[in-house]
Coordinates of all heavy atoms in Angstrom, one line a residue:
D20 N -10.4 -2.9 -5.6 CA -11.7 -3.7 -5.4 C -12.1 -4.5 -6.6 O -12.6 -5.6 -6.5 CB -12.8 -2.7 -5.0 CG -12.6 -2.0 -3.7 OD1 -11.8 -2.6 -2.9 OD2 -13.2 -1.0 -3.4
L21 N -12.0 -3.8 -7.8 CA -12.3 -4.5 -9.0 C -11.4 -5.7 -9.3 O -11.8 -6.8 -9.8 CB -12.3 -3.6 -10.2 CG -13.4 -2.5 -10.3 CD1 -13.1 -1.6 -11.5 CD2 -14.7 -3.2 -10.4
R22 N -10.1 -5.6 -8.9 CA -9.2 -6.7 -9.1 C -9.6 -7.9 -8.2 O -9.5 -9.1 -8.6 CB -7.8 -6.3 -8.8 CG -7.1 -5.5 -9.9 CD -5.7 -5.1 -9.5 NE -5.0 -4.4 -10.6 CZ -4.0 -3.5 -10.4 NH1 -3.6 -3.3 -9.2 NH2 -3.5 -2.9 -11.5
K23 N -10.0 -7.6 -7.0 CA -10.5 -8.7 -6.1 C -11.7 -9.4 -6.7 O -11.8 -10.6 -6.6 CB -10.8 -8.1 -4.7 CG -9.6 -7.7 -3.9 CD -10.0 -7.1 -2.6 CE -8.7 -6.6 -1.8 NZ -9.1 -6.0 -0.5
L24 N -12.6 -8.6 -7.2 CA -13.8 -9.2 -7.7 C -13.5 -10.0 -9.0 O -14.0 -11.1 -9.2 CB -14.8 -8.1 -8.1 CG -15.6 -7.4 -7.0 CD1 -16.4 -6.2 -7.5 CD2 -16.5 -8.4 -6.3
S25 N -12.6 -9.5 -9.8 CA -12.2 -10.2 -11.0 C -11.5 -11.5 -10.7 O -11.6 -12.5 -11.4 CB -11.3 -9.3 -11.9 OG -11.1 -9.9 -13.1
G26 N -10.8 -11.6 -9.6 CA -10.1 -12.8 -9.2 C -10.9 -13.7 -8.3 O -10.4 -14.7 -7.8
S27 N -12.2 -13.4 -8.0 CA -13.0 -14.2 -7.1 C -13.5 -15.5 -7.8 O -13.3 -15.7 -9.0 CB -14.2 -13.4 -6.6 OG -15.0 -13.1 -7.7
D28 N -14.1 -16.4 -7.0 CA -14.6 -17.6 -7.6 C -15.8 -17.4 -8.5 O -16.1 -18.4 -9.3 CB -15.1 -18.5 -6.4 CG -13.9 -18.9 -5.5 OD1 -12.8 -18.9 -6.0 OD2 -14.1 -19.2 -4.3
D29 N -16.4 -16.3 -8.5 CA -17.6 -16.0 -9.4 C -17.1 -16.0 -10.9 O -18.0 -16.1 -11.8 CB -18.3 -14.7 -9.1 CG -18.9 -14.8 -7.7 OD1 -19.1 -15.9 -7.2 OD2 -19.0 -13.7 -7.1
G30 N -15.9 -15.8 -11.1 CA -15.3 -15.8 -12.5 C -15.7 -14.5 -13.3 O -15.8 -14.6 -14.5
V31 N -16.0 -13.4 -12.6 CA -16.4 -12.2 -13.3 C -15.1 -11.6 -13.9 O -14.1 -11.4 -13.3 CB -17.0 -11.2 -12.4 CG1 -17.4 -9.9 -13.1 CG2 -18.2 -11.8 -11.7
D32 N -15.2 -11.3 -15.2 CA -14.0 -10.7 -15.9 C -14.2 -9.2 -16.0 O -15.1 -8.7 -16.7 CB -13.9 -11.3 -17.3 CG -12.6 -10.8 -18.0 OD1 -11.8 -10.1 -17.4 OD2 -12.5 -11.0 -19.2
L33 N -13.4 -8.5 -15.2 CA -13.5 -7.0 -15.2 C -12.2 -6.4 -15.6 O -12.0 -5.2 -15.3 CB -13.8 -6.6 -13.7 CG -15.1 -7.1 -13.1 CD1 -15.2 -6.7 -11.6 CD2 -16.3 -6.4 -13.8
S34 N -11.5 -7.1 -16.4 CA -10.2 -6.6 -16.9 C -10.3 -5.4 -17.7 O -9.4 -4.4 -17.6 CB -9.4 -7.7 -17.6 OG -10.2 -8.1 -18.7
D35 N -11.3 -5.2 -18.5 CA -11.5 -4.1 -19.4 C -11.7 -2.8 -18.5 O -11.2 -1.7 -18.8 CB -12.6 -4.2 -20.4 CG -12.3 -5.2 -21.5 OD1 -11.1 -5.5 -21.6 OD2 -13.2 -5.8 -22.1
E36 N -12.5 -3.0 -17.5 CA -12.8 -1.9 -16.6 C -11.6 -1.5 -15.8 O -11.3 -0.3 -15.6 CB -14.0 -2.2 -15.7 CG -14.4 -1.1 -14.7 CD -15.0 0.1 -15.4 OE1 -15.3 0.0 -16.6 OE2 -15.1 1.1 -14.7
V37 N -10.8 -2.5 -15.4 CA -9.6 -2.2 -14.6 C -8.6 -1.5 -15.5 O -8.0 -0.5 -15.1 CB -9.0 -3.5 -14.1 CG1 -7.5 -3.3 -13.6 CG2 -9.8 -4.2 -13.0
D38 N -8.5 -1.9 -16.8 CA -7.6 -1.2 -17.7 C -8.0 0.3 -17.9 O -7.1 1.2 -18.0 CB -7.5 -1.9 -19.1 CG -6.8 -3.3 -19.0 OD1 -6.1 -3.5 -18.0 OD2 -7.0 -4.1 -19.9
R39 N -9.3 0.5 -18.0 CA -9.8 1.8 -18.2 C -9.5 2.7 -17.0 O -9.0 3.9 -17.2 CB -11.3 1.8 -18.5 CG -11.9 3.2 -18.8 CD -13.4 3.1 -19.0 NE -14.0 2.9 -17.7 CZ -14.3 3.8 -16.8 NH1 -13.9 5.1 -17.0 NH2 -14.9 3.6 -15.6
L40 N -9.7 2.2 -15.8 CA -9.4 3.0 -14.6 C -7.9 3.2 -14.4 O -7.5 4.3 -14.0 CB -10.0 2.3 -13.4 CG -11.5 2.3 -13.3 CD1 -12.0 1.5 -12.0 CD2 -12.1 3.7 -13.3
E41 N -7.1 2.2 -14.8 CA -5.6 2.4 -14.7 C -5.2 3.5 -15.7 O -4.3 4.3 -15.3 CB -4.9 1.1 -15.0 CG -5.0 0.1 -13.8 CD -4.3 -1.2 -14.1 OE1 -4.1 -1.5 -15.3 OE2 -4.0 -1.9 -13.1
S42 N -5.7 3.5 -16.8 CA -5.4 4.6 -17.8 C -5.8 6.0 -17.3 O -5.0 6.9 -17.4 CB -6.0 4.3 -19.2 OG -5.6 3.1 -19.7
K43 N -6.9 6.0 -16.7 CA -7.4 7.3 -16.1 C -6.5 7.7 -14.9 O -6.1 8.9 -14.8 CB -8.8 7.1 -15.6 CG -9.4 8.4 -15.0 CD -10.9 8.2 -14.5 CE -11.4 9.5 -14.0 NZ -12.8 9.3 -13.5
R44 N -6.1 6.7 -14.1 CA -5.2 7.0 -13.0 C -3.9 7.5 -13.5 O -3.3 8.5 -12.9 CB -4.9 5.7 -12.2 CG -3.9 5.9 -11.0 CD -3.3 4.6 -10.7 NE -2.6 4.0 -11.8 CZ -2.3 2.7 -11.9 NH1 -2.5 1.9 -10.9 NH2 -1.6 2.2 -12.9
D45 N -3.3 6.9 -14.5 CA -2.0 7.4 -15.1 C -2.1 8.8 -15.6 O -1.2 9.6 -15.4 CB -1.5 6.4 -16.2 CG -1.1 5.1 -15.6 OD1 -0.9 5.0 -14.4 OD2 -1.0 4.1 -16.4
R46 N -3.3 9.1 -16.2 CA -3.5 10.5 -16.7 C -3.5 11.5 -15.6 O -2.9 12.6 -15.6 CB -4.8 10.6 -17.5 CG -4.7 9.9 -18.9 CD -5.8 10.4 -19.8 NE -7.1 10.1 -19.2 CZ -7.8 9.0 -19.4 NH1 -7.2 8.0 -20.1 NH2 -9.0 8.8 -18.9
M47 N -4.3 11.1 -14.5 CA -4.4 12.0 -13.3 C -3.0 12.1 -12.7 O -2.7 13.3 -12.2 CB -5.4 11.4 -12.3 CG -6.8 11.4 -12.8 SD -8.0 10.6 -11.7 CE -7.9 11.6 -10.3
L48 N -2.2 11.1 -12.6 CA -0.9 11.2 -12.0 C 0.0 12.1 -12.8 O 0.7 13.0 -12.3 CB -0.2 9.8 -11.9 CG -0.4 9.0 -10.7 CD1 0.2 7.6 -10.9 CD2 0.2 9.7 -9.5
G49 N -0.1 11.9 -14.1 CA 0.7 12.8 -15.0 C 0.4 14.2 -14.9 O 1.2 15.1 -14.8
D50 N -1.0 14.5 -14.8 CA -1.4 15.9 -14.7 C -1.0 16.5 -13.3 O -0.5 17.6 -13.2 CB -2.9 16.0 -14.8 CG -3.4 15.7 -16.2 OD1 -2.6 15.7 -17.2 OD2 -4.6 15.3 -16.4
A51 N -1.1 15.7 -12.3 CA -0.8 16.1 -10.9 C 0.7 16.4 -10.8 O 1.1 17.5 -10.3 CB -1.2 15.1 -9.9
Y52 N 1.5 15.5 -11.3 CA 3.0 15.7 -11.1 C 3.6 16.6 -12.1 O 4.8 17.1 -11.9 CB 3.6 14.3 -11.1 CG 3.6 13.6 -9.8 CD1 2.4 13.0 -9.3 CD2 4.7 13.6 -8.9 CE1 2.4 12.4 -8.0 CE2 4.7 13.1 -7.7 CZ 3.5 12.5 -7.2 OH 3.4 11.9 -6.0
A53 N 2.9 16.9 -13.2 CA 3.4 17.9 -14.1 C 3.4 19.3 -13.6 O 4.1 20.2 -14.0 CB 2.7 17.8 -15.5
G54 N 2.4 19.5 -12.7 CA 2.2 20.9 -12.2 C 2.4 21.0 -10.7 O 1.7 21.8 -10.0
L55 N 3.3 20.3 -10.1 CA 3.5 20.3 -8.7 C 4.1 21.7 -8.2 O 5.0 22.3 -8.9 CB 4.5 19.3 -8.2 CG 4.1 17.8 -8.3 CD1 5.2 16.9 -7.8 CD2 2.9 17.5 -7.5
S56 N 3.5 22.2 -7.2 CA 4.0 23.5 -6.6 C 5.3 23.1 -5.8 O 5.5 21.9 -5.4 CB 3.0 24.1 -5.6 OG 2.8 23.3 -4.5
P57 N 6.1 24.1 -5.4 CA 7.3 23.8 -4.6 C 6.9 23.1 -3.2 O 7.7 22.3 -2.8 CB 7.9 25.2 -4.3 CG 7.5 26.0 -5.5 CD 6.1 25.5 -5.9
W58 N 5.8 23.5 -2.6 CA 5.4 22.9 -1.4 C 5.0 21.4 -1.6 O 5.3 20.5 -0.8 CB 4.2 23.6 -0.7 CG 3.7 23.0 0.5 CD1 2.5 22.4 0.8 CD2 4.5 22.8 1.7 NE1 2.5 21.9 2.0 CE2 3.7 22.1 2.7 CE3 5.8 23.1 2.1 CZ2 4.1 21.8 3.9 CZ3 6.2 22.8 3.4 CH2 5.4 22.1 4.3
Q59 N 4.3 21.1 -2.7 CA 4.0 19.7 -3.1 C 5.2 18.9 -3.3 O 5.3 17.7 -3.0 CB 3.0 19.7 -4.2 CG 1.6 20.2 -3.9 CD 0.7 20.4 -5.1 OE1 1.2 20.6 -6.2 NE2 -0.6 20.3 -4.9
K60 N 6.2 19.5 -4.0 CA 7.5 18.8 -4.2 C 8.2 18.5 -2.9 O 8.9 17.5 -2.8 CB 8.4 19.6 -5.2 CG 8.0 19.5 -6.6 CD 9.0 20.2 -7.5 CE 8.7 20.0 -9.0 NZ 9.1 18.6 -9.4
T61 N 8.0 19.4 -2.0 CA 8.6 19.2 -0.6 C 8.0 18.0 0.0 O 8.7 17.1 0.6 CB 8.4 20.4 0.3 OG1 9.0 21.6 -0.3 CG2 9.0 20.2 1.7
Q62 N 6.7 17.8 -0.1 CA 6.0 16.6 0.4 C 6.5 15.4 -0.3 O 6.7 14.3 0.4 CB 4.5 16.8 0.2 CG 3.9 17.9 1.1 CD 2.4 18.0 0.8 OE1 2.0 18.6 -0.2 NE2 1.6 17.5 1.7
V63 N 6.7 15.4 -1.6 CA 7.1 14.3 -2.4 C 8.6 13.9 -1.9 O 8.9 12.7 -1.7 CB 7.1 14.5 -3.9 CG1 7.7 13.3 -4.7 CG2 5.6 14.8 -4.3
A64 N 9.4 14.9 -1.8 CA 10.8 14.7 -1.4 C 10.9 14.0 0.0 O 11.9 13.3 0.3 CB 11.6 16.0 -1.4
R65 N 9.9 14.3 0.8 CA 9.9 13.7 2.2 C 9.1 12.5 2.3 O 8.9 11.9 3.4 CB 9.3 14.8 3.2 CG 10.2 16.0 3.3 CD 9.4 17.1 4.1 NE 10.2 18.3 4.4 CZ 9.7 19.4 5.0 NH1 8.4 19.5 5.3 NH2 10.5 20.4 5.2
H66 N 8.6 11.9 1.2 CA 7.7 10.8 1.2 C 8.4 9.6 2.0 O 9.6 9.3 1.7 CB 7.3 10.3 -0.2 CG 6.1 9.4 -0.2 ND1 6.2 8.1 0.2 CD2 4.9 9.7 -0.6 CE1 5.0 7.6 0.0 NE2 4.2 8.5 -0.4

Side-chain angles (χ1 to χ4, degrees):
D20 292 342
L21 288 177
R22 280 179 179 158
K23 287 180 182 178
L24 285 173
S25 188
S27 65
D28 296 335
D29 296 336
V31 181
D32 185 7
L33 299 171
S34 57
D35 290 342
E36 181 65 12
V37 169
D38 290 342
R39 186 184 70 80
L40 290 179
E41 285 180 338
S42 297
K43 183 179 179 182
R44 176 204 58 196
D45 290 344
R46 287 196 303 273
M47 291 174 68
L48 268 175
D50 292 342
Y52 276 77
L55 290 180
S56 69
W58 178 244
Q59 288 170 333
K60 280 186 177 286
T61 301
Q62 292 177 285
V63 177
R65 294 171 174 172
H66 197 286

